[in-house]
Structures are given as structure tokens and as C-alpha cells.
Amino acid sequence: MPLYQTHPLQVYNSLSGKKENFKSIHEGQIGMYVCGPTVYSNVHLGNVRTFMSFDMIYRYLLHLGYKVRYVRNITDAGHLTDDGDVENDRFVKQSRLEKLEPMEIVQKYTVDFHKVLEKFNLLPPTIEPTATGHIIEQIELTKKLIEKGFAYESNGSVYFDVFEYNKKGMNYGELSNRNIEELFANTRDLDGQNEKKNPQDFALWKNASPAHIMRWNSPWGEGFPGWHLECTAMSTKYLGETFDIHGGGLDLKFPHHECEIAQGTACNGHKPVNYWMHTNMLTMNGLRMSKSTGNYILPMELLDGENDFFEKAFDPSVVRFCFMQAHYRGVLDISNEAMMASEKGYNRLMEAMDILSKIEASNSSSVDITTWKKACYDAMNDDFNTTILIAQLFEAVRIINVLNDKKE
């Protein structure tokens, strides 16, 4: 009997705002989609925390006996700057800075992304699709949304009609608990607003200006897909119209995941995802990491010690141990003190593992680990609570040391 049948799992669903008993759509099989990196620069440590958290979730689901199709995309097109300026598309802007073709930028930082995650021993996803590899699917999805009355063309661009979506009884803003009036009040004067029916409408396809390098043919002219469209197209293609888990960083909750829900629901007539899961942010020395303030470090700088924040280099396993001490939904702060303490704790665990391998079974027969083992599963089945699990691991360290003292 697989473990998931004897160890029922609870997960926190960002859509309902509460923990729910997890049940896969297809018994014993799970479809999980996690928003991957936008590969126009080096992957940062906050990204690593998100992907490490979902690696932990992926591994535990496999341990429970589920068959998991884990899809994590690569965003290599259609990602505009926060100010909506098409001319400052992040890939195009970086290609100008580095004097490289946009797809050279994509290749360079995709390779960097994979190297970093391999350093931290993350399992690869079962499918890793790219946005540029699914332009046809994104065009077809846009056409379907136009046909259903949820999108409209304007000057070669296509926008999702948020008011029309809500008018038909759906609820744009349900994931982030926002309403149309609030969104209207907070709308800034961004590029392309004069093309829209409503300020809240978001781009499915953008018309490419003559200076825009990354462009594809479409029924509406040459252009490129909107950022939100790719994930709906790829998750639907590989996981179906409805799948189990969609994950990502908390910063993607609005507008990215909100738009994904709207696109999927409008297109197929039902919600695309059963459980929405979000990891919280990573801070350093109590402050948000930011290049502009200098409170910033790349993953490899933490591993090789070439930085001004930490007194030494740290093994990837120590970094991972540090990250797992915080619950994935909680804010995690790293500092020199925190990393040094994590290294000490990690070494205690490894020393106990070494001692355990030398203790004969006859010497440990008096120890009942059933209660301890249940406590470990209870921790992980409570929304993947690695914080409590690690506390249980140190309880095991105590038991191992007691056995070792008896042996001697």
C-alpha cells in the first residue's frame, strides 16, 4: 500500500486561504506546475529558495508513492518590464547591454540556472518547456479567448477583457483578494493603456514595434506573447485543463497567477488548478535583497565565499539545510550568524549519521522509533512543515548519542 493512503496530506491552498486535505485528480498521479525563471540574468538566491522548496515537495510526494508529472517552464520571451514599456523588454534590453542576440542571452542564463540548481542537488522537472517553443499554442489560446468573447484585438495587440470576465459571473482577483474597483483605483498610466477598453485588461499578445527584435507572425500581425499567456498554454498542454498543484513565489500571486486563473477559466469553463501554493520571500541581514541597495548576493557567491557578507564559503548542503529550517510559506532571513549556526547543526546531523552506521542492531533494539517516525510524517503531512521535521531529526540525534554512550 502506498504511503499516501496511510499518511493523508494537508496542504495550504492560497486560493481558499486555508489548509485542505490533499487529493489528486487521478488517484496516485499528480500534475504539478511551477513557474520557472525568466532567463535574462543570473538566477538569484530568492529564486533558488522557491525552486528548492518545490524540490522538497516533489521529493516528498514521490516518497509517499505518488507518480508526479512535474512541469517547470523557462520564460524566454514576452516578459516586459514592470512599467509596461515594450521597448524595454528585459531580453532585448539585456541583449543590448551585453551586445548579444536575445537568444544568446536566453542560452547563457538558462545554462547558469541549471548549473546553480545542480549545485544544490535539485531534481530536474519531468518536463521543462520554453515560451518560445510554444508560440503556436499561445496564439491558438488567444484565438479561442477572442472567439469566446473574453479578449479583443486593438492595433495589432490582443487584450483580455477583465470586466467582461467578471460580468459573466467569474471573479478576477479571487486569488489575491482584490476587487475591480480597487484595481481601477491603483492603475497607473502605463504603455498601451490607450489601446485597452479597461485599465485592468492585460496583454495576451503585443504588437511588435519596428525596433523590437523578438517577434513572431500571428493573425494580428508580427508581435510576441504576453507574459501570463505562456504558463496557461504550457500547463494545459502537459497537465490538462485542470491539474493538481500550481506553485511559484509569492510575488507571482498578483498579477501573474491571477491572470492564469482568468485565462484558464475563461477558455475552458472551469478552474485550471485545485491547489495554489506560494513560497515566501528571502531576506538577508533583516533586509530585502536588492541590487540597488547593495544588500544582494548571488548563489555561487555564497558557495565560493567571494562576497562581503559572509565570513566563509558554505557547502550547498548547509545552505539547503538552512533554507529548510524555515517553513516554505514563512519569510526566511539569512545572515552570517544564521549560516554559521546552520553549518554547526548540519555537521551534528552528519556526525550522528556516521555514528548510527556503526551501532549494531542489537544495541538499538530497546529503542522504539514508531512514535518518532510518526511525528516525522505528521510534520511533513502538515503542509510540508520542514521546521518541525528538523526538530524531530535532532531528537533522533539525541537518541543516537545515548545509544552510542551505552555502547561505549
Side-chain angles (χ1 to χ4, degrees):
M1 181 181 292
L3 285 170
Y4 64 80
Q5 293 184 9
T6 55
H7 292 272
L9 176 65
Q10 276 204 327
V11 300
Y12 182 85
N13 190 349
S14 293
L15 187 60
S16 66
K18 60 184 180 182
K19 290 180 186 177
E20 298 179 7
N21 293 324
F22 179 81
K23 182 171 176 57
S24 60
I25 296 171
H26 305 289
E27 182 62 38
Q29 301 180 54
I30 293 176
M32 182 170 77
Y33 187 94
V34 174
C35 288
T38 304
V39 285
Y40 67 93
S41 64
N42 297 103
V43 62
H44 62 74
L45 209 54
N47 294 143
V48 170
R49 189 208 177 183
T50 292
F51 301 131
M52 193 179 289
S53 294
F54 282 102
D55 181 72
M56 172 271 296
I57 290 167
Y58 177 40
R59 287 172 182 269
Y60 188 63
L61 293 173
L62 292 174
H63 172 74
L64 290 180
Y66 286 106
K67 182 179 179 181
V68 185
R69 177 175 287 179
Y70 175 18
V71 182
R72 187 184 66 210
N73 70 300
I74 296 286
T75 296
D76 58 353
H79 203 310
L80 306 180
T81 54
D82 293 333
D83 61 7
D85 186 354
V86 177
E87 298 308 315
N88 280 328
D89 180 288
R90 291 173 177 175
F91 296 101
V92 176
K93 188 174 183 180
Q94 195 65 26
S95 72
R96 289 169 180 160
L97 286 172
E98 298 193 33
K99 294 182 172 56
L100 297 171
E101 286 291 321
M103 292 312 291
E104 286 182 291
I105 294 296
V106 166
Q107 180 68 10
K108 175 182 177 179
Y109 292 113
T110 300
V111 170
D112 169 75
F113 171 69
H114 288 146
K115 283 183 177 178
V116 170
L117 295 200
E118 285 171 8
K119 276 282 186 182
F120 289 104
N121 194 31
L122 270 64
L123 296 175
T126 49
I127 302 175
E128 191 173 55
T130 65
T132 55
H134 295 77
I135 297 296
I136 293 173
E137 288 84 353
Q138 293 176 78
I139 289 174
E140 290 302 312
L141 181 56
T142 302
K143 287 164 63 177
K144 190 172 180 181
L145 288 168
I146 292 174
E147 291 167 5
K148 287 179 171 282
F150 290 103
Y152 57 91
E153 186 269 340
S154 177
N155 296 328
S157 295
V158 181
Y159 295 96
F160 187 93
D161 193 330
V162 171
F163 273 20
E164 187 65 26
Y165 179 76
N166 273 41
K167 201 162 68 176
K168 291 185 177 179
M170 299 162 202
N171 181 18
Y172 183 81
E174 60 185 323
L175 181 64
S176 53
N177 294 317
R178 305 185 188 208
N179 57 53
I180 291 292
E181 290 73 21
E182 178 189 344
L183 294 172
F184 185 86
N186 292 333
T187 300
R188 297 171 291 158
D189 184 18
L190 303 180
D191 175 69
Q193 292 287 34
N194 59 335
E195 297 179 344
K196 300 179 182 181
K197 290 182 181 179
N198 316 296
Q200 302 82 2
D201 296 348
F202 57 89
L204 299 171
W205 185 267
K206 286 294 291 183
N207 178 40
S209 69
H212 202 89
I213 303 172
M214 300 181 82
R215 56 204 298 143
W216 292 266
N217 289 322
S218 81
W220 316 284
E222 287 193 340
F224 54 94
W227 171 34
H228 314 303
L229 190 63
E230 60 170 296
C231 288
T232 297
M234 290 186 283
S235 63
T236 301
K237 178 171 182 175
Y238 297 111
L239 299 175
E241 293 182 0
T242 304
F243 56 95
D244 298 289
I245 296 172
H246 194 312
L250 193 61
D251 58 318
L252 298 179
K253 197 172 185 179
F254 183 89
H256 186 50
H257 290 164
E258 199 75 74
C259 294
E260 280 192 66
I261 290 176
Q263 290 166 165
T265 305
C267 197
N268 301 312
H270 50 77
K271 294 288 189 294
V273 178
N274 279 355
Y275 305 94
W276 286 88
M277 301 176 68
H278 295 92
T279 59
N280 214 320
M281 68 185 298
L282 176 72
T283 60
M284 186 165 69
N285 298 315
L287 301 171
R288 183 173 181 174
M289 281 198 282
S290 168
K291 285 184 179 179
S292 60
T293 62
N295 192 58
Y296 184 82
I297 186 172
L298 289 172
M300 297 307 291
E301 292 172 337
L302 183 59
L303 301 185
D304 62 25
E306 297 296 322
N307 63 83
D308 298 325
F309 298 99
F310 299 89
E311 64 183 80
K312 63 187 293 295
F314 291 97
D315 187 86
S317 295
V318 171
V319 178
R320 185 163 184 148
F321 178 72
C322 178
F323 283 15
M324 291 297 106
Q325 288 182 89
H327 190 269
Y328 77 90
R329 284 194 290 111
V331 174
L332 169 64
D333 184 67
I334 60 168
S335 63
N336 186 67
E337 293 74 20
M339 288 304 305
M340 294 297 291
S342 293
E343 184 175 64
K344 184 178 179 181
Y346 176 78
N347 288 338
R348 279 184 62 205
L349 282 179
M350 294 304 100
E351 289 164 5
M353 288 290 289
D354 183 57
I355 293 170
L356 183 62
S357 67
K358 298 170 183 175
I359 295 177
E360 295 180 9
S362 59
N363 292 331
S364 59
S365 58
S366 61
V367 178
D368 179 13
I369 65 165
T370 304
T371 302
W372 173 82
K373 187 176 178 181
K374 181 180 182 302
C376 291
Y377 276 106
D378 287 347
M380 288 299 287
N381 291 330
D382 182 17
D383 193 32
F384 311 99
N385 199 324
T386 53
T387 306
I388 295 177
L389 176 68
I390 287 174
Q392 290 298 328
L393 294 181
F394 280 111
E395 172 61 17
V397 170
R398 185 191 66 78
I399 295 170
I400 290 168
N401 287 331
V402 167
L403 289 173
N404 191 49
D405 289 344
K406 285 182 178 179
K407 182 191 74 172
E408 293 179 353

